[in-house]
Amino acid sequence: MSGGYDASTAVMDYPRCDAQDKLAGRTRYTVDRAGPETLKAVLFRSNITAARIVRLNVEAARRAPGVRAIATAADAPGKFGLGIADHVLFAGDVIRHHGEPIAAIAADTMEQAKAAMELIELELDPLPAMLTMEAALAKGAREIHADWKDYEILLEGAKRGGNVAWEATVERGDSDAAFSRDDVTIVEGCYRVGRQSHVPFEPRAVNARFEDGRFNIETSTQVPWTVRSVTARALGIPESHVRVTVPAVGGGFGLKFDCTLEPYAAVLAKMTGRSVSLINSRREEQLTCLCRENAEIRIRSAVTPDGEIVGREATVLMDCGAYGGEQVFLTTMTAHTLGGNYRVGAVKLASRAVYTNTPPNGAFRACNGVYNTFVLERHTDEICREIGLDPIEFRRRNAIGNGDVGATGQVFEGDVLRPMLERMVEKYPYASSVESARDGWKRGRATTIGTWFVFVGPSAATVNLNADGSATLVTSGVEIGSGSMMQSLPQIIASELGIEPDAVIVKSADTDASGRDLGVGGGRQTVSLGAASAAACADVREKVLAVAGELLQAEASRLVLKDGRVEFRDGAGGSVRLTDVIARAEATVGPVSGSGAFTAPGVAAMPGCAAGHFIDAIDIPVFAVHDCELDVEIATGRVVVRNYRVIQDVGRAINPRAVHSQVQGGVVQGLGYALHEEITINDKGFFDQSGFETYRIPLAGDVIPVDLEMYEGAPSIGPLGTKGAGEVPILNVGATIACAVANATGKQVSELPLTPPRVLGLLKDGTEAIRLDHISRNWRENVISK
Amino acid sequence: MATSFRLNGETVIYHGDPRTSLLNVLRDTYRLTGAKAVCEEGFCGACTVHVDGEAVPSCLRPVGLVADCSVTTIEGLAERDAPHALQAAFRKHDVVQCGMCFPGMVMSLSKLLEENPSPSREEVKRGMTGNMCRCTGYERIIDAVMSLQDNAEARP
């Protein structure tokens, strides 16, 4: 990008331009857009966990009043997935989880569609259900996907087998030798976490039409291009036959980082020739939520008396549910999270996505980073206790810094974590916080560190200059509430083109108008779309300055775009209005537009040490230091968080106020995860929490203001040095709360969430240590042999 | 059976089943989609409307029970060019994220401020018990509500 543009002009607390209509109830989300002319669709879902389908007859339902079409497996035979194509749209022969769709019905009204469901005849032959990873991994366990060997492989290099959908491993150095040293202390622990439900206030929803031989899909998604490709695969049609547009999205948090409802509506739209709306009821949304997965972890480390970690071995079992989904990809992130934060000598890590007969899991803000950080930080505190080192001092000595090597052999650039940690304890010294708790309470404090990443990858942008001096940005970016489309991108473009952010028009996502994009998630939107947009602006600038050069009789290199004009960089001579340059361009060379693209250049890992990984190294690491002080009520086990402090590596904050909002919201979601949010699965394989009454998200009365300090200046390839700021605030919350509860109670905390009964169990020593006998202490026995 | 009520100042007559929830009638029949169907169990508050001056979740109220009542939705709360002081404060303080909870939040808190124009922070939090938000972590919403106390003319 051409120099001389002052990046600081992008930095401001620019308010979002969609607030007024959202506040007035005028914003039309996907759920608001289907009028009476639109057919209403419902999914006929399995009410059993595992079975063979003996007979399915939808003829009576098809003849029911108002019914326009019914689709079943025969109408969408294609398989799709990440890494492996293991997922089908409709259960055809086998039902693998409660709530799995078997048929889709479109009718004139919702009541008619629901009435028709009652007429579907279904005969089943139940199969033994495997509801836990322990059951699925047991010797001789029934294979949930009997034909797993025949599935198409979409990414080579991973081991799979039986009920292990995907296995990612890291082996660097000789950990056997490290654990055999006679000067090391070996610390071992087992940990377990449950599922977390996203609860976006707008459920997954879609409106579809079939027009001129193509599918028009309007949907509440974070990933328009994934919806396009999965719909095409499921329906067996070319991707170019699918157009995806996305209005305002009422929350995602990762749940909408996958294609789910869209292909059903598409099939029905084609069958009926009508617009079809399909919206998950809250109960469906909850019972088939692609949760943050439940996981089981065994970790052990060999540590010298002065706190050097010479060896580390860990096995992470991730429950992917009945289909691989995002967990297949997320096995990759164990290396960078559980294998992150600290310098480690030799390392062996296994991350296994395990099939069970439960609803599939998915991606949720910072994904498995959240529980891997919980495990790593609790394990670190256990190490400190065993070897008698202060936890802050241990972290100071071992935190990853400039030139240090990560788990997969990637070399980190810049000292970021250590100065952030030092800043936290300097700001809130431990010595000053020894005020003791009230009678009947125990007080604890903890400080944790965390490593996450920006999920870069391809983005494309086009910027069109308009005659009035405004600019239109065309991308597949989606505004899910984080503000990246409403704030970051207009700010970046305004800064690049010397105009006001209000003069930037952001077109909502449309795969027919924009180039490909990976989607909103992994903190990538400001970084990847921002970089593509900045590149498009550079293209625009070059064209504008060439024309302006003719008008001003000057070399383009002497000119600069500022305040809606083209001026001389050195302040000399005259200037010309941008609108005049645009008019001149239209008359001489045609309207001005620019295009830009971005993808990750790819950071090197050590060859041969990572297997089954989608990314071997992280292009943009993001670090966080969290600190909290809390009280535990001895009589009840209730945890009251007294204060919560965050120092977050933001690269460069271009909208500090918006970053604060993301951190407050992300930490509070993390407090829910740490303290009370959990989906449990009953013995029939159903989720126990089917709505807001049983799944409790944090209320206003539960929260406190989060104290944030932004750490700026860490290396980033993002535009203006930005990093994603919305994903990472949730990363260390479970870890910090757990470590603080452990410090308050003096007990080992090995499980989340820390509900009052669970904490009371710890206090009364009534909680049995987690054993995880199905994960061997011999790491090699936990991986598929070569 | 027909149900007649005042909706944002106009008399309307609803001809469907009086057991239908007010929320569904507003959204499906009158296409007033500002009230959101989020939990539909009366917990989240995203569907809050005013019925005869009282803030209520419209998902739990059969439309038959609002016969002859005056119903105000978020669409009828303020003139298009003159937003309610709360809406202005939320915008000014940039507290909106996905936005799904805010119409209900505005309807509930506007009533709270009518009854108690100078609430304490704790009183605002208590007043928000029936309004959930998944994005913001609440505190900045409360900051915005509290800011109204510094501005006498902004008080409703």
Side-chain angles (χ1 to χ4, degrees), chain B residues 58-81:
Chain B
S58 58
C59 68
L60 294 183
R61 187 141 310 200
V63 68
L65 290 186
V66 303
D68 303 324
C69 294
S70 177
V71 174
T72 303
T73 69
I74 187 72
E75 290 90 344
L77 181 71
E79 292 296 318
R80 199 183 157 80
D81 298 323

PDB file of all heavy atoms in Angstrom, chain B residues 58-81:
ATOM      1  N   SER B  58     -45.169  -9.798  25.172  1.00  0.00           N
ATOM      2  CA  SER B  58     -46.333 -10.072  24.316  1.00  0.00           C
ATOM      3  C   SER B  58     -46.456 -11.544  23.947  1.00  0.00           C
ATOM      4  O   SER B  58     -47.499 -11.976  23.477  1.00  0.00           O
ATOM      5  CB  SER B  58     -46.267  -9.217  23.052  1.00  0.00           C
ATOM      6  OG  SER B  58     -45.080  -9.466  22.336  1.00  0.00           O
ATOM      7  N   CYS B  59     -45.397 -12.334  24.207  1.00  0.00           N
ATOM      8  CA  CYS B  59     -45.458 -13.751  23.829  1.00  0.00           C
ATOM      9  C   CYS B  59     -46.423 -14.528  24.713  1.00  0.00           C
ATOM     10  O   CYS B  59     -46.945 -15.556  24.293  1.00  0.00           O
ATOM     11  CB  CYS B  59     -44.072 -14.381  23.879  1.00  0.00           C
ATOM     12  SG  CYS B  59     -43.359 -14.544  25.531  1.00  0.00           S
ATOM     13  N   LEU B  60     -46.613 -14.068  25.949  1.00  0.00           N
ATOM     14  CA  LEU B  60     -47.450 -14.828  26.892  1.00  0.00           C
ATOM     15  C   LEU B  60     -48.886 -14.312  26.941  1.00  0.00           C
ATOM     16  O   LEU B  60     -49.694 -14.819  27.698  1.00  0.00           O
ATOM     17  CB  LEU B  60     -46.851 -14.746  28.308  1.00  0.00           C
ATOM     18  CG  LEU B  60     -45.495 -15.420  28.503  1.00  0.00           C
ATOM     19  CD1 LEU B  60     -45.065 -15.332  29.957  1.00  0.00           C
ATOM     20  CD2 LEU B  60     -45.545 -16.884  28.059  1.00  0.00           C
ATOM     21  N   ARG B  61     -49.185 -13.262  26.162  1.00  0.00           N
ATOM     22  CA  ARG B  61     -50.509 -12.666  26.281  1.00  0.00           C
ATOM     23  C   ARG B  61     -51.368 -13.043  25.078  1.00  0.00           C
ATOM     24  O   ARG B  61     -51.079 -12.620  23.957  1.00  0.00           O
ATOM     25  CB  ARG B  61     -50.362 -11.144  26.376  1.00  0.00           C
ATOM     26  CG  ARG B  61     -51.661 -10.455  26.668  1.00  0.00           C
ATOM     27  CD  ARG B  61     -51.526  -9.302  27.620  1.00  0.00           C
ATOM     28  NE  ARG B  61     -50.790  -9.613  28.847  1.00  0.00           N
ATOM     29  CZ  ARG B  61     -50.892  -8.890  29.957  1.00  0.00           C
ATOM     30  NH1 ARG B  61     -51.694  -7.845  30.003  1.00  0.00           N
ATOM     31  NH2 ARG B  61     -50.191  -9.200  31.018  1.00  0.00           N
ATOM     32  N   PRO B  62     -52.418 -13.845  25.284  1.00  0.00           N
ATOM     33  CA  PRO B  62     -53.321 -14.127  24.161  1.00  0.00           C
ATOM     34  C   PRO B  62     -53.958 -12.824  23.687  1.00  0.00           C
ATOM     35  O   PRO B  62     -54.307 -11.965  24.508  1.00  0.00           O
ATOM     36  CB  PRO B  62     -54.372 -15.054  24.772  1.00  0.00           C
ATOM     37  CG  PRO B  62     -53.764 -15.559  26.048  1.00  0.00           C
ATOM     38  CD  PRO B  62     -52.833 -14.495  26.524  1.00  0.00           C
ATOM     39  N   VAL B  63     -54.102 -12.688  22.396  1.00  0.00           N
ATOM     40  CA  VAL B  63     -54.582 -11.416  21.862  1.00  0.00           C
ATOM     41  C   VAL B  63     -55.984 -11.100  22.384  1.00  0.00           C
ATOM     42  O   VAL B  63     -56.341  -9.928  22.559  1.00  0.00           O
ATOM     43  CB  VAL B  63     -54.508 -11.404  20.314  1.00  0.00           C
ATOM     44  CG1 VAL B  63     -55.499 -12.381  19.686  1.00  0.00           C
ATOM     45  CG2 VAL B  63     -54.728  -9.993  19.782  1.00  0.00           C
ATOM     46  N   GLY B  64     -56.769 -12.161  22.680  1.00  0.00           N
ATOM     47  CA  GLY B  64     -58.111 -11.930  23.211  1.00  0.00           C
ATOM     48  C   GLY B  64     -58.104 -11.112  24.495  1.00  0.00           C
ATOM     49  O   GLY B  64     -59.054 -10.383  24.789  1.00  0.00           O
ATOM     50  N   LEU B  65     -57.016 -11.200  25.238  1.00  0.00           N
ATOM     51  CA  LEU B  65     -56.945 -10.475  26.512  1.00  0.00           C
ATOM     52  C   LEU B  65     -56.599  -9.005  26.346  1.00  0.00           C
ATOM     53  O   LEU B  65     -56.602  -8.263  27.322  1.00  0.00           O
ATOM     54  CB  LEU B  65     -55.905 -11.135  27.435  1.00  0.00           C
ATOM     55  CG  LEU B  65     -56.278 -12.506  27.997  1.00  0.00           C
ATOM     56  CD1 LEU B  65     -55.229 -12.969  29.002  1.00  0.00           C
ATOM     57  CD2 LEU B  65     -57.648 -12.473  28.668  1.00  0.00           C
ATOM     58  N   VAL B  66     -56.250  -8.579  25.133  1.00  0.00           N
ATOM     59  CA  VAL B  66     -55.984  -7.147  24.958  1.00  0.00           C
ATOM     60  C   VAL B  66     -57.167  -6.447  24.292  1.00  0.00           C
ATOM     61  O   VAL B  66     -57.054  -5.300  23.860  1.00  0.00           O
ATOM     62  CB  VAL B  66     -54.671  -6.858  24.185  1.00  0.00           C
ATOM     63  CG1 VAL B  66     -53.492  -7.500  24.876  1.00  0.00           C
ATOM     64  CG2 VAL B  66     -54.765  -7.274  22.733  1.00  0.00           C
ATOM     65  N   ALA B  67     -58.319  -7.136  24.216  1.00  0.00           N
ATOM     66  CA  ALA B  67     -59.502  -6.507  23.644  1.00  0.00           C
ATOM     67  C   ALA B  67     -59.772  -5.192  24.374  1.00  0.00           C
ATOM     68  O   ALA B  67     -59.719  -5.133  25.607  1.00  0.00           O
ATOM     69  CB  ALA B  67     -60.707  -7.441  23.784  1.00  0.00           C
ATOM     70  N   ASP B  68     -59.990  -4.177  23.590  1.00  0.00           N
ATOM     71  CA  ASP B  68     -60.283  -2.822  24.084  1.00  0.00           C
ATOM     72  C   ASP B  68     -59.105  -2.162  24.798  1.00  0.00           C
ATOM     73  O   ASP B  68     -59.252  -1.084  25.376  1.00  0.00           O
ATOM     74  CB  ASP B  68     -61.517  -2.811  25.010  1.00  0.00           C
ATOM     75  CG  ASP B  68     -62.738  -3.378  24.313  1.00  0.00           C
ATOM     76  OD1 ASP B  68     -62.860  -3.137  23.086  1.00  0.00           O
ATOM     77  OD2 ASP B  68     -63.534  -4.082  24.961  1.00  0.00           O
ATOM     78  N   CYS B  69     -57.941  -2.810  24.781  1.00  0.00           N
ATOM     79  CA  CYS B  69     -56.760  -2.197  25.400  1.00  0.00           C
ATOM     80  C   CYS B  69     -56.021  -1.342  24.379  1.00  0.00           C
ATOM     81  O   CYS B  69     -56.252  -1.423  23.183  1.00  0.00           O
ATOM     82  CB  CYS B  69     -55.807  -3.273  25.912  1.00  0.00           C
ATOM     83  SG  CYS B  69     -56.472  -4.250  27.259  1.00  0.00           S
ATOM     84  N   SER B  70     -55.099  -0.566  24.908  1.00  0.00           N
ATOM     85  CA  SER B  70     -54.239   0.228  24.050  1.00  0.00           C
ATOM     86  C   SER B  70     -52.849  -0.402  24.055  1.00  0.00           C
ATOM     87  O   SER B  70     -52.217  -0.522  25.099  1.00  0.00           O
ATOM     88  CB  SER B  70     -54.184   1.664  24.578  1.00  0.00           C
ATOM     89  OG  SER B  70     -53.291   2.405  23.786  1.00  0.00           O
ATOM     90  N   VAL B  71     -52.408  -0.853  22.875  1.00  0.00           N
ATOM     91  CA  VAL B  71     -51.113  -1.536  22.754  1.00  0.00           C
ATOM     92  C   VAL B  71     -50.138  -0.614  22.025  1.00  0.00           C
ATOM     93  O   VAL B  71     -50.461  -0.090  20.958  1.00  0.00           O
ATOM     94  CB  VAL B  71     -51.264  -2.861  21.968  1.00  0.00           C
ATOM     95  CG1 VAL B  71     -49.895  -3.502  21.725  1.00  0.00           C
ATOM     96  CG2 VAL B  71     -52.196  -3.815  22.704  1.00  0.00           C
ATOM     97  N   THR B  72     -48.972  -0.411  22.636  1.00  0.00           N
ATOM     98  CA  THR B  72     -47.920   0.358  21.960  1.00  0.00           C
ATOM     99  C   THR B  72     -46.726  -0.563  21.752  1.00  0.00           C
ATOM    100  O   THR B  72     -46.253  -1.209  22.694  1.00  0.00           O
ATOM    101  CB  THR B  72     -47.491   1.568  22.808  1.00  0.00           C
ATOM    102  OG1 THR B  72     -48.649   2.359  23.071  1.00  0.00           O
ATOM    103  CG2 THR B  72     -46.455   2.413  22.065  1.00  0.00           C
ATOM    104  N   THR B  73     -46.245  -0.611  20.505  1.00  0.00           N
ATOM    105  CA  THR B  73     -45.051  -1.403  20.211  1.00  0.00           C
ATOM    106  C   THR B  73     -43.877  -0.453  20.019  1.00  0.00           C
ATOM    107  O   THR B  73     -44.054   0.761  19.993  1.00  0.00           O
ATOM    108  CB  THR B  73     -45.240  -2.228  18.923  1.00  0.00           C
ATOM    109  OG1 THR B  73     -45.274  -1.321  17.817  1.00  0.00           O
ATOM    110  CG2 THR B  73     -46.522  -3.045  18.965  1.00  0.00           C
ATOM    111  N   ILE B  74     -42.694  -1.036  19.860  1.00  0.00           N
ATOM    112  CA  ILE B  74     -41.502  -0.206  19.659  1.00  0.00           C
ATOM    113  C   ILE B  74     -41.709   0.731  18.455  1.00  0.00           C
ATOM    114  O   ILE B  74     -41.229   1.866  18.460  1.00  0.00           O
ATOM    115  CB  ILE B  74     -40.242  -1.096  19.482  1.00  0.00           C
ATOM    116  CG1 ILE B  74     -38.960  -0.257  19.443  1.00  0.00           C
ATOM    117  CG2 ILE B  74     -40.327  -1.963  18.237  1.00  0.00           C
ATOM    118  CD1 ILE B  74     -38.555   0.339  20.747  1.00  0.00           C
ATOM    119  N   GLU B  75     -42.464   0.266  17.464  1.00  0.00           N
ATOM    120  CA  GLU B  75     -42.685   1.100  16.281  1.00  0.00           C
ATOM    121  C   GLU B  75     -43.510   2.329  16.622  1.00  0.00           C
ATOM    122  O   GLU B  75     -43.435   3.348  15.915  1.00  0.00           O
ATOM    123  CB  GLU B  75     -43.399   0.296  15.181  1.00  0.00           C
ATOM    124  CG  GLU B  75     -42.544  -0.801  14.531  1.00  0.00           C
ATOM    125  CD  GLU B  75     -42.643  -2.155  15.220  1.00  0.00           C
ATOM    126  OE1 GLU B  75     -43.117  -2.220  16.379  1.00  0.00           O
ATOM    127  OE2 GLU B  75     -42.243  -3.156  14.594  1.00  0.00           O
ATOM    128  N   GLY B  76     -44.320   2.243  17.678  1.00  0.00           N
ATOM    129  CA  GLY B  76     -45.194   3.356  18.030  1.00  0.00           C
ATOM    130  C   GLY B  76     -44.691   4.168  19.213  1.00  0.00           C
ATOM    131  O   GLY B  76     -45.369   5.091  19.676  1.00  0.00           O
ATOM    132  N   LEU B  77     -43.518   3.839  19.717  1.00  0.00           N
ATOM    133  CA  LEU B  77     -43.032   4.505  20.932  1.00  0.00           C
ATOM    134  C   LEU B  77     -42.666   5.959  20.677  1.00  0.00           C
ATOM    135  O   LEU B  77     -42.920   6.825  21.510  1.00  0.00           O
ATOM    136  CB  LEU B  77     -41.805   3.764  21.486  1.00  0.00           C
ATOM    137  CG  LEU B  77     -41.227   4.356  22.776  1.00  0.00           C
ATOM    138  CD1 LEU B  77     -42.164   4.088  23.957  1.00  0.00           C
ATOM    139  CD2 LEU B  77     -39.844   3.800  23.067  1.00  0.00           C
ATOM    140  N   ALA B  78     -42.046   6.223  19.544  1.00  0.00           N
ATOM    141  CA  ALA B  78     -41.570   7.586  19.283  1.00  0.00           C
ATOM    142  C   ALA B  78     -41.743   7.899  17.808  1.00  0.00           C
ATOM    143  O   ALA B  78     -41.844   7.003  16.975  1.00  0.00           O
ATOM    144  CB  ALA B  78     -40.094   7.687  19.671  1.00  0.00           C
ATOM    145  N   GLU B  79     -41.752   9.180  17.518  1.00  0.00           N
ATOM    146  CA  GLU B  79     -41.814   9.609  16.120  1.00  0.00           C
ATOM    147  C   GLU B  79     -40.489   9.228  15.448  1.00  0.00           C
ATOM    148  O   GLU B  79     -39.437   9.213  16.078  1.00  0.00           O
ATOM    149  CB  GLU B  79     -42.012  11.130  16.048  1.00  0.00           C
ATOM    150  CG  GLU B  79     -43.363  11.603  16.549  1.00  0.00           C
ATOM    151  CD  GLU B  79     -44.515  11.086  15.691  1.00  0.00           C
ATOM    152  OE1 GLU B  79     -44.384  11.094  14.454  1.00  0.00           O
ATOM    153  OE2 GLU B  79     -45.534  10.653  16.266  1.00  0.00           O
ATOM    154  N   ARG B  80     -40.573   9.017  14.169  1.00  0.00           N
ATOM    155  CA  ARG B  80     -39.394   8.586  13.424  1.00  0.00           C
ATOM    156  C   ARG B  80     -38.208   9.527  13.595  1.00  0.00           C
ATOM    157  O   ARG B  80     -37.069   9.101  13.740  1.00  0.00           O
ATOM    158  CB  ARG B  80     -39.773   8.489  11.938  1.00  0.00           C
ATOM    159  CG  ARG B  80     -38.804   7.641  11.177  1.00  0.00           C
ATOM    160  CD  ARG B  80     -39.101   7.591   9.688  1.00  0.00           C
ATOM    161  NE  ARG B  80     -37.845   7.226   9.027  1.00  0.00           N
ATOM    162  CZ  ARG B  80     -37.386   5.996   8.957  1.00  0.00           C
ATOM    163  NH1 ARG B  80     -38.090   5.003   9.459  1.00  0.00           N
ATOM    164  NH2 ARG B  80     -36.237   5.740   8.373  1.00  0.00           N
ATOM    165  N   ASP B  81     -38.487  10.828  13.574  1.00  0.00           N
ATOM    166  CA  ASP B  81     -37.379  11.785  13.642  1.00  0.00           C
ATOM    167  C   ASP B  81     -37.094  12.263  15.055  1.00  0.00           C
ATOM    168  O   ASP B  81     -36.236  13.113  15.258  1.00  0.00           O
ATOM    169  CB  ASP B  81     -37.676  12.984  12.733  1.00  0.00           C
ATOM    170  CG  ASP B  81     -37.797  12.539  11.285  1.00  0.00           C
ATOM    171  OD1 ASP B  81     -37.038  11.628  10.902  1.00  0.00           O
ATOM    172  OD2 ASP B  81     -38.664  13.062  10.571  1.00  0.00           O
TER     173      ASP B  81
END
